[in-house]
Structure formats: structure tokens, C-alpha cells
Amino acid sequence: MVLGALEAGGTKMVCAIGNEQGQVLERVSIPTVSPEETMPQMLSFFKQHNIEALGIGCFGPINPVEGTATYGYITTTPKLAWQNYNIVGAFQEALGCPVGFDTDVNAAVLGEVSFGSMQGLDSCIYVTVGTGVGVGVFTGGRLLHGMMHPEAGHILLQRHPADTYKGKCPFHGNCLEGLASGPAIEERWGAKAETLGDRREVWELEAYYIAQACVNYTLVYSPKRIILGGGVMHQEQLFPLIRRQYQELMADYVITPELENLNRYIIPCSLHDDQGILGCLKLAMDALEKFLARALQHLGL
Amino acid sequence: MVLGALEAGGTKMVCAIGNEQGQVLERVSIPTVSPEETMPQMLSFFKQHNIEALGIGCFGPINPVEGTATYGYITTTPKLAWQNYNIVGAFQEALGCPVGFDTDVNAAVLGEVSFGSMQGLDSCIYVTVGTGVGVGVFTGGRLLHGMMHPEAGHILLQRHPADTYKGKCPFHGNCLEGLASGPAIEERWGAKAETLGDRREVWELEAYYIAQACVNYTLVYSPKRIILGGGVMHQEQLFPLIRRQYQELMADYVITPELENLNRYIIPCSLHDDQGILGCLKLAMDALEKFLARALQHLGL
């Protein structure tokens, strides 16, 4: 199979060609400007390769719910040029092939359970902590949708009593993204996260918020693994701090075999930051499969 | 069909006979003492009626994950007599019929989407606020399971700045159940919830915690409706307070058609506190259907 994958981000569009084994054969990165400027470049790349299907993991919010009026749209994003843009429709029309569509973080968790060390797991979440914070949710063997997709990076948290920072989120004073994203770290401490590696207090506080969110994710999703990725999680010293605070905050309330060893429960991504693009390949495969199933049904086969 | 339903609670076991239309034809209530004392009474009731299948909505924590070693057990409950008790196995052995099994709150949400005003909805949660706080989650047309079931009544919340109450939960100082359950209200204010109806400050604070939790549930599950039930929610003045505080806390971050009118989004249960027992009937139906499907497959049909 020749599959297209698009990891659509706020700053760049990573376009790739790959196959059903999760091999990426070629990839290019195109700056995210506006649909008028950026779409033709992406289309030209995918057209060159005659792809059979495309999978898009997209910055949000988006509408990933098939059968609704604005399915396939990027909706209320602060990136004004892309607001209410029917990205799925544009690709379908120009490429004439099936298009799969979900959030960037849902694509990432799908990549991990399809091609990573979590392969075959039916319940798993992927939390990215970077410029923003987002959560991809795979439960009961499927990506979670409802009215729309999870926006679990914005859950409201208990502030640390010693933390007087007002938060970076324009909507919520005390949500995870506002308190723990890369820009929040930078604004709170007056320096970029990657230059603060040796400041213990920075990472203790960061771990407090991430751990508190992870406790809540365990309580709501009951996931069999929590994968932490994104730029901030490149600070590997965070993992033991998060696990320790998670244990304290959970206080043995939930007891399962999975939680016995947190080193195996709260883990880094296994695909070296390729989880997103590989998840997009899987979205393409799933879209193609669904398309074929519908076609067969139509033909009465 | 003659179906059995068991709403297994910490103080009473409600046993009922009903059918696939969601009609309850007979019901008895048996005090929850110990398996030795309570099981024979329940068995005798169900045996009398020759049920074709049984559905159990059970107090927790339980193991509802089929295929695992302790499937069908009540696990780490503080009710010691029932700890690690294989309730599904006991009924299967004694009755020789298929048994469906889930949490009481998952049964309740299933009742609402199967027989209530939420019929046909594929994404909906049921939050009970009473002696305890629990959340049943129906998403993608199925009840949510993972390692186990959601324990979303214990999510950690931001304390209200004016609230100095230490919380009723022995595990977490600031979880929803610890701050907002019936016993928490009683301990904080020194009187039973039902006698505090005219104390505005009681319900404003209660609404603050429930609203905060509902915001987080919207962010994590993206449910199409949030149904609030349980004894505390009989204080109907809570609904408008919760909706107002929800709106403030959400701050228009998620924009969907469902959220345009919160009177239709955050709603009371529609089955007059029968949602649990009716959900158990549906669990029985589903168990029977699964049993028949397996039998047919076995026979190669």
C-alpha cells in the first residue's frame, strides 16, 4: 500500500508517505501559513506519490465525528486562517481518495498501540506536554469521541499552595495546560524549559501538576498505560518525580496489577516522536478499510 | 423474556424481575449483610421466577473485565464480608444462566440510554451524588472499561478558597466524593443535607464542586449529556447553580451545539431512580445475547 500521512501542527505540516507496516518512506515539512498558501504544497507532495488513502492527525479543536454537518473541519482554533476550514473535504476533493481524520494526540496514541511497544493494547492514553497539552484516548480498542474529541489537557487542577503563577491559559486560571505547558514553565520561571534542567524546584512543581492530571486520567479512563510525550517530557528527570507524586496523590485508592509497578505504567513514548505520523498512517489504513467495506456493502457483496 | 436484575448496593440488594421492554414486574429489597446470609435469599427469589439471564449493577470496586482472572469479583471494597467475592460466579453456578456484570453507575447510564429520555444516544455520562459519588460512562455506544471501571467520583479538584473542610474521603483530601458527597455535606455543615435546603451557601459550595467536576468530565469524555442523580441531587435547586458555575468555569472553551443550552446538557435522570434497575435488565439482555452469539459460533452457525 502507498499511504499518505499528515501531521498537521500549528507551526508545521509534516507530510509523509508510508505503508501498512508502519514504515515511513519519505517525509517533508511545510510551514503552516494559511490554507491558500499551504494546501497546494501539501497536495502537490501527495499527488506525486499517488497515495491510496490519507490519514490526518490535526491540531484542534476539530470535528472528528462522522455524520455531523462540520465533520472534517478545523473549528474554533485560534489560528484564524484555519478557522472553520474543511480540511478533510479539501483533501478528498483534490486527491479523490479516502481520508481519515482525528486529533494529533489521538493519532499519536493510535501510533503507539498500532506500531509501538503498546501494540495490541485496548486501553491506553497519550499525553503530550509541549507548547500545548493534549490527551489522546484509546479505550475499548477505539479512539474516544463524543460531542467532539477529548480536550483533557485543559482539566482543572488543584493549584500547588506555593505556586502563585496566574497560569498561561486564556480560558482557565488553573488548568493543566495553563500551569504546565512549555510556555507556562517559561513565563513562570523567566527562562526556557530546556535551560532549567538543573533547577529541582521547577521539575518538582511540573511533576506535581502532571501527576495530579495522571491520577485523574486513571480515575476517569482506567487506562492500562499512560504514555507521556511532547517537548517538555524530553526532560527525562520528570518521569521518576511524576511517578512518586502520582503514588502519593493516588494513595492506593485504585489497586490493579498495572499499577503495581509505575515504571511500566507511566512511560515515555516508544516511537521516538514518530508516534504521530505513524498514527496518521493507521488512520489512512482505517479510512481505506472503511471505504472498501462500504463499497462492498453497496455492491451487495 | 423473563430477566433478572440485581442492583447490589452497600446497604440493600434490590432484586427485580422484568422484561426486554424495560418493564419491572416484581421487586424485593434484601439487606446487604454477608454473602453467606444474603446470597441464599437472592437466589431463592430469582429461582422462583426461572429467569433466562441476570444483570448485576454492583457497588465497587469490582472487576468487570471479561477474560481476566478475577472477572466478576467484588474486589477491594471496604465492606469486608464482600471483599474478593466472586458474585458473578456464585450466581452463574446457582442459576445456570448468563450473567451480565458492571458497576451500579454504569448500569444507571445504560438504563438511561436504553429506556430513558436519552434512548439511542451513543455518548452520555451518569453522575450519582449521594452517600458516595460515582460516574457511569457510556461512550462510542458502549460502557467504558479499561484496567477496571471509571472511579471518576474521586477526581481531584481545586478546593474553594473559602472552604476549610478537610474532606470525607480517607484517601484524598480534595476529591469530589470527599468534598461533595452526602456525608461530606453533613460533616461540613453539622446537619443532614435534606435539612439544609434553605441555606444558600451550602448549595453554592456544593454546586461549585459538582460544576468543576462536570467541566472536567466534558473535557475528558466529551459526553453529549451529563445526567446527575443520587440522593443529593434531589435538592433540585442545585441544577441552576451547577449550570451557572459550569458556564463560568468552562469559560466558552468548548463550543458545541450540545453546550448551547445547558438546561438540556446537565439534566436530572429521567427514570425516577429506576435507571439502575432498568440498566441491570439491559445488562441481562446483553449477557443473553452474547451467550447466544457464542453458542451459535460454537455450533458453526
Side-chain angles (χ1 to χ4, degrees):
Chain A
M1 280 190 206
V2 184
L3 300 169
L6 167 58
E7 212 181 349
T11 52
K12 61 179 198 258
M13 298 287 192
V14 178
C15 303
I17 304 299
N19 62 26
E20 71 277 21
Q21 274 93 46
Q23 290 164 317
V24 174
L25 306 170
E26 197 173 333
R27 95 172 78 189
V28 297
S29 178
I30 295 166
T32 305
V33 184
S34 65
E36 293 69 31
E37 223 172 299
T38 315
M39 284 296 294
Q41 300 174 56
M42 296 193 282
L43 284 170
S44 134
F45 173 79
F46 289 121
K47 277 181 179 168
Q48 265 172 49
H49 290 87
N50 260 317
I51 58 173
E52 294 166 69
L54 174 66
I56 307 174
C58 194
F59 65 93
I62 64 170
N63 180 347
V65 184
E66 285 192 76
T68 56
T70 57
Y71 166 71
Y73 282 61
I74 301 173
T75 55
T76 53
T77 173
K79 306 196 170 296
L80 297 181
W82 297 86
Q83 229 176 53
N84 300 314
Y85 180 65
N86 181 0
I87 190 167
V88 168
F91 276 110
Q92 270 172 338
E93 195 178 80
L95 299 176
C97 71
V99 177
F101 186 54
D102 219 307
T103 60
D104 43 10
V105 278
N106 265 355
V109 72
L110 187 63
E112 286 284 346
V113 297
S114 304
F115 302 114
S117 63
M118 293 305 107
Q119 211 168 333
L121 208 68
D122 65 349
S123 158
C124 178
I125 68 169
Y126 174 87
V127 185
T128 181
V129 187
T131 312
V133 179
V135 184
V137 182
F138 191 74
T139 181
R142 293 188 297 195
L143 295 169
L144 189 148
H145 299 141
M147 294 192 293
M148 44 185 278
H149 47 78
E151 277 286 351
H154 283 261
I155 57 167
L156 306 175
L157 297 179
Q158 169 80 49
R159 273 176 175 285
H160 193 285
D163 184 19
T164 56
Y165 173 57
K166 69 184 190 315
K168 187 77 189 166
C169 171
F171 297 93
H172 318 112
N174 62 313
C175 76
L176 176 61
E177 177 167 306
L179 294 169
S181 64
I185 297 174
E186 185 175 341
E187 189 168 85
R188 182 191 283 112
W189 300 100
K192 285 204 174 294
E194 55 267 38
T195 67
L196 295 165
D198 55 350
R199 296 268 303 272
R200 178 100 188 171
E201 68 276 25
V202 171
W203 305 109
E204 282 287 356
L205 185 63
E206 182 71 7
Y208 170 76
Y209 289 122
I210 298 175
Q212 196 186 148
C214 286
V215 165
N216 281 356
Y217 298 148
T218 295
L219 295 168
V220 296
Y221 297 127
S222 202
K224 293 180 182 171
R225 295 289 186 288
I226 297 178
I227 302 172
L228 300 178
V232 170
M233 295 311 303
H234 290 161
Q235 300 286 332
E236 289 175 15
Q237 73 273 27
L238 269 172
F239 282 90
L241 301 178
I242 291 168
R243 292 184 191 116
R244 185 174 47 70
Q245 298 214 41
Y246 177 97
Q247 187 126 40
E248 277 170 32
L249 290 165
M250 181 62 89
D252 283 335
Y253 176 68
V254 173
I255 297 174
T256 65
E258 289 86 350
L259 293 181
E260 272 169 26
N261 181 353
L262 290 183
N263 295 328
R264 290 166 168 228
Y265 185 71
I266 297 174
I267 55 179
C269 53
S270 71
L271 292 167
H272 314 289
D273 290 337
D274 266 357
Q275 55 279 6
I277 203 77
L278 294 179
C280 294
L281 283 181
K282 185 62 166 62
L283 286 174
M285 286 164 63
D286 292 347
L288 186 56
E289 195 179 315
K290 198 182 280 184
F291 171 81
L292 293 173
R294 276 183 201 159
L296 288 173
Q297 205 178 14
H298 244 54
L299 293 167
L301 298 171
Chain B
M1 280 188 206
V2 183
L3 301 169
L6 166 58
E7 211 180 349
T11 51
K12 62 177 197 256
M13 298 286 193
V14 179
C15 303
I17 305 298
N19 62 26
E20 69 277 21
Q21 274 92 44
Q23 291 164 317
V24 174
L25 306 170
E26 196 173 335
R27 92 174 79 189
V28 298
S29 177
I30 295 165
T32 305
V33 185
S34 65
E36 294 68 32
E37 221 171 299
T38 315
M39 284 297 293
Q41 299 174 57
M42 296 193 282
L43 284 171
S44 132
F45 173 78
F46 289 121
K47 278 181 177 166
Q48 264 171 50
H49 291 87
N50 259 318
I51 58 174
E52 294 166 68
L54 175 66
I56 307 174
C58 194
F59 65 94
I62 64 170
N63 180 349
V65 185
E66 285 191 76
T68 56
T70 57
Y71 165 72
Y73 282 62
I74 301 172
T75 56
T76 53
T77 174
K79 304 195 173 298
L80 297 181
W82 297 86
Q83 229 176 51
N84 300 315
Y85 180 65
N86 182 0
I87 189 167
V88 169
F91 276 110
Q92 271 173 338
E93 195 179 81
L95 300 175
C97 71
V99 177
F101 185 54
D102 219 308
T103 60
D104 42 10
V105 277
N106 265 354
V109 72
L110 187 63
E112 286 284 346
V113 296
S114 303
F115 302 114
S117 63
M118 293 304 108
Q119 211 168 334
L121 208 67
D122 64 351
S123 158
C124 178
I125 68 169
Y126 175 87
V127 185
T128 181
V129 186
T131 313
V133 180
V135 183
V137 183
F138 192 73
T139 182
R142 294 189 295 197
L143 296 170
L144 190 148
H145 298 140
M147 295 191 292
M148 45 187 277
H149 47 78
E151 277 287 351
H154 282 262
I155 58 167
L156 306 175
L157 297 178
Q158 168 81 49
R159 272 175 176 287
H160 193 285
D163 185 18
T164 55
Y165 173 57
K166 68 184 192 313
K168 188 77 189 166
C169 171
F171 296 92
H172 317 112
N174 62 314
C175 76
L176 175 62
E177 177 167 305
L179 294 168
S181 64
I185 297 174
E186 185 174 342
E187 190 169 83
R188 182 192 281 114
W189 301 100
K192 286 204 174 292
E194 55 267 37
T195 67
L196 295 165
D198 56 350
R199 294 269 303 272
R200 177 99 187 175
E201 67 276 24
V202 171
W203 306 109
E204 282 286 356
L205 185 64
E206 182 72 7
Y208 171 76
Y209 289 122
I210 298 174
Q212 196 186 149
C214 286
V215 165
N216 282 354
Y217 299 148
T218 295
L219 294 168
V220 297
Y221 297 128
S222 202
K224 292 180 183 171
R225 294 290 185 290
I226 297 178
I227 302 171
L228 301 177
V232 170
M233 294 312 304
H234 289 161
Q235 300 285 330
E236 289 175 16
Q237 72 272 27
L238 269 172
F239 281 91
L241 302 178
I242 291 168
R243 292 184 191 116
R244 185 173 49 69
Q245 298 214 41
Y246 177 97
Q247 186 127 39
E248 278 170 31
L249 290 165
M250 180 62 89
D252 282 335
Y253 176 68
V254 173
I255 297 175
T256 65
E258 288 86 351
L259 293 181
E260 272 167 28
N261 182 352
L262 291 182
N263 294 329
R264 291 168 168 225
Y265 185 72
I266 298 175
I267 54 178
C269 53
S270 72
L271 293 167
H272 315 288
D273 291 339
D274 264 358
Q275 56 278 5
I277 203 78
L278 293 179
C280 294
L281 283 181
K282 185 64 166 61
L283 286 174
M285 285 164 64
D286 292 348
L288 186 56
E289 194 179 316
K290 197 182 280 183
F291 172 82
L292 292 174
R294 277 183 199 158
L296 288 173
Q297 205 179 16
H298 243 55
L299 293 167
L301 298 172

